[in-house]
């Protein structure tokens, strides 16, 4: 019996879809059987982030409306063993699916897959309600900005109200050099404010944009970027492993350490 | 406090992240308690009305605010008393 994890945030543009894609790829690389559900009906994007946009035949709405079997709508990612995508419908809206239908679908997929990731749309309306309906756990994505953290707080409240326990926070697009300057909220600041457990921190990284351009998630690259490593670590934490958090604030140079000693740039 | 923080403090400058944190705290207290500034104004007026039965209140010197204290939201009312009414 697998686990259904919804990736949510409240605010748009904080990296939910990129997160879903990378966690999916990371899981698949560890030989877990994974399916990603794009629950953002009407604004489907997970397919392009994954580079699978040309292979869509059926979608989520086709499945819940019984136009095809679930199996037929799942797109197998040929680059990784065990990774599948259930794309959102593009020409319908959030009301095309009900929470009850999503719950049923998640139950069905859990039977066959180790992990089911649901990429939740932005907002707190019907699309959000649908996406969390079948979820066992949630990963809340935020960025170190006032607006995103505020929305994350709202989402945490709504998830608790919906009876979803054990949500964890993913801080995305951290810029260590800005944190050092005192110009960006630090990990501890955000955790203190939201009072929630951390699943991981992903640094701001242009490699994410480059890899998204190509439709190849960064977590796929073995010896790749810091962001890719961060995602891989998060995947292992989801699986229950204790993985130390990456340190983004190392001062490698003597000058850096000196600066830290006297209080500049620590 | 390290040297950098000291310098900033002397210049009267606050790190933008500290401003962000403070603003977030404040906005979340309102969000979590579903309390808008307008709503607080209504509470303020009502409190003044009740207290005024017993004391003369300096309305201009009255502050009602919500903040967080060790995980709980606190409603704090500071009322400046000008005089106590003799009738009580």
């Amino acid at each position: 019996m697998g686990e259904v994890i919804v990736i949510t945030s409240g605010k748009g543009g904080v990296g939910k879809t990129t997160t879903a894609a990378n966690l999916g790829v990371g899981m698949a690389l560890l030989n877990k059987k994974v399916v990603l559900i794009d629950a953002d009906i009407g604004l489907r994007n997970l397919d392009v982030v994954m580079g699978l946009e040309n292979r869509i035949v059926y979608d989520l709405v086709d499945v819940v409306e019984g136009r095809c079997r679930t199996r037929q709508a799942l797109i197998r990612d040929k680059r990784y063993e065990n990774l599948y995508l259930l794309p959102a419908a593009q020409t319908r809206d959030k009301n095309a699916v009900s929470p009850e239908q999503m719950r049923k679908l998640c139950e069905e997929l859990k039977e066959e897959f180790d992990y089911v990731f649901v990429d939740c749309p932005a907002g707190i309306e019907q699309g959000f309600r649908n996406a969390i309906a079948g979820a066992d756990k949630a990963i809340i994505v935020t960025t170190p900005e006032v607006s995103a953290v505020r929305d994350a707080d709202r989402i945490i409240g709504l998830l608790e109200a919906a009876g979803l326990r054990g949500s964890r926070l993913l801080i995305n697009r951290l810029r260590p050099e800005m944190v050092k300057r005192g110009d960006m909220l630090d990990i501890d600041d955000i955790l203190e404010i939201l009072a929630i457990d951390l699943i991981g921190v992903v640094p701001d990284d242009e490699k994410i944009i480059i890899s998204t351009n190509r439709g190849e998630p960064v977590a796929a690259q073995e010896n790749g970027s810091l962001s890719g490593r961060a995602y891989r670590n998060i995947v292992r934490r989801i699986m229950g492993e204790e993985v130390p958090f990456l340190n983004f604030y190392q001062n490698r140079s003597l000058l850096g350490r000196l600066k830290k000693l006297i209080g500049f740039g620590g | 406090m390290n040297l950098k923080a000291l310098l900033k403090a002397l210049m009267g400058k606050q790190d933008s992240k500290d401003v962000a944190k403070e603003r977030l705290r404040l906005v979340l207290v309102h969000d979590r308690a579903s309390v808008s500034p307008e709503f607080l104004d209504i509470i303020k007026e009502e409190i003044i009305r009740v207290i005024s039965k017993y004391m003369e209140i300096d309305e201009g010197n009255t502050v009602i605010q919500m903040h967080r204290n060790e995980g709980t939201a606190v409603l704090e009312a500071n009322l400046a008393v000008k005089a106590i009414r003799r009738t009580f």
Side-chain angles (χ1 to χ4, degrees):
Chain A
M1 192 67 158
E3 192 167 55
V4 181
I5 301 174
V6 60
I7 317 282
T8 181
S9 70
K11 189 176 179 298
V14 296
K16 283 182 294 298
T17 303
T18 306
T19 299
N22 279 289
L23 296 185
V25 169
M27 279 288 179
L29 288 172
L30 294 178
N31 298 318
K32 294 289 168 188
K33 204 168 176 200
V34 185
V35 60
L36 304 173
I37 304 178
D38 188 349
D40 202 348
I41 300 163
L43 290 168
R44 95 171 154 215
N45 270 327
L46 189 50
D47 56 333
V48 285
V49 173
M50 303 279 299
L52 297 173
E53 66 273 20
N54 294 327
R55 299 194 34 219
I56 298 176
V57 181
Y58 295 109
D59 58 47
L60 174 60
V61 176
D62 293 325
V63 172
V64 299
E65 291 182 351
R67 268 189 299 279
C68 67
R69 281 176 290 113
T70 309
R71 192 79 243 173
Q72 291 175 287
L74 296 181
I75 302 166
R76 193 175 77 84
D77 192 324
K78 291 171 184 159
R79 294 162 295 182
Y80 321 98
E81 201 82 33
N82 296 327
L83 181 60
Y84 292 80
L85 169 71
L86 178 52
Q90 181 70 322
T91 53
R92 302 289 293 272
D93 64 44
K94 298 334 187 224
N95 299 315
V97 175
S98 73
E100 193 41 53
Q101 288 169 323
M102 274 301 281
R103 201 171 298 129
K104 245 183 78 190
L105 177 66
C106 289
E107 287 300 322
E108 184 191 339
L109 290 170
K110 253 160 89 167
E111 296 288 329
E112 196 186 334
F113 292 88
D114 297 315
Y115 288 94
V116 180
F117 287 106
V118 184
D119 183 20
C120 179
I124 53 174
E125 295 83 19
Q126 178 75 20
F128 169 74
R129 302 268 158 217
N130 287 340
I132 67 167
D136 300 308
K137 284 179 180 167
I139 290 177
I140 299 149
V141 182
T142 190
T143 57
E145 291 159 289
V146 176
S147 52
V149 176
R150 180 194 199 177
D151 288 0
D153 186 75
R154 185 102 168 86
I155 290 295
I156 292 167
L158 290 171
L159 290 174
E160 276 177 11
L164 212 63
R165 310 251 163 249
S167 304
R168 285 190 283 179
L169 188 74
L170 189 157
I171 300 174
N172 200 13
R173 297 210 196 111
L174 187 85
R175 294 175 63 172
E177 76 290 353
M178 285 193 76
V179 174
K180 279 188 198 169
R181 285 206 306 266
D183 279 330
M184 180 173 270
L185 288 165
D186 199 0
I187 301 161
D188 294 337
D189 296 321
I190 299 171
L191 295 180
E192 184 192 326
I193 285 172
L194 294 178
I196 183 175
D197 288 338
L198 185 68
I199 188 86
V201 181
V202 180
D204 196 27
D205 188 353
E206 30 176 82
K207 294 220 173 71
I208 300 263
I209 299 172
I210 297 167
S211 71
T212 307
N213 286 343
R214 301 186 194 281
E216 298 162 356
V218 284
Q221 290 133 33
E222 275 294 345
N223 48 1
S225 52
L226 199 56
S227 56
R229 270 176 61 201
Y231 280 123
R232 283 159 167 258
N233 284 350
I234 291 167
V235 163
R236 286 164 57 202
R237 287 186 201 112
I238 293 172
M239 290 167 58
E241 257 182 75
E242 290 265 345
V243 185
F245 291 101
L246 294 174
N247 180 9
F248 304 115
Y249 307 118
Q250 289 156 331
N251 275 310
R252 283 181 200 84
S253 66
L254 180 65
L255 186 67
R257 268 177 285 168
L258 265 175
K259 275 182 172 174
K260 185 173 179 168
L261 205 65
I262 56 170
F264 283 90
Chain B
M1 189 187 291
N2 62 29
L3 192 56
K4 183 180 154 201
L6 185 71
L7 273 176
K8 280 203 172 173
L10 285 175
M11 289 188 294
K13 251 186 164 177
Q14 203 183 358
D15 278 345
S16 75
K17 91 147 199 195
D18 292 324
V19 178
K21 200 174 171 186
E22 205 41 50
R23 290 177 60 218
L24 251 174
R25 261 188 220 289
L26 219 65
V27 80
L28 287 187
V29 165
H30 289 288
D31 284 0
R32 287 173 185 171
S34 310
V35 173
S36 67
E38 291 77 25
F39 186 66
L40 271 183
D41 278 342
I42 296 172
I43 296 178
K44 179 175 162 179
E45 274 173 37
E46 201 137 330
I47 289 176
I48 290 175
R49 199 166 51 76
V50 171
I51 304 291
S52 294
K53 284 203 258 176
Y54 309 96
M55 298 169 190
E56 201 176 318
I57 300 296
D58 180 2
E59 288 196 32
N61 253 328
T62 296
V63 182
I64 307 262
Q65 57 187 3
M66 282 205 70
H67 58 88
R68 255 158 64 97
N69 191 10
E70 284 161 20
T72 53
V74 174
L75 177 69
E76 189 179 86
N78 273 306
L79 298 95
V81 180
K82 282 205 266 186
I84 311 277
R85 297 201 195 283
R86 277 187 190 285
T87 42
F88 290 93

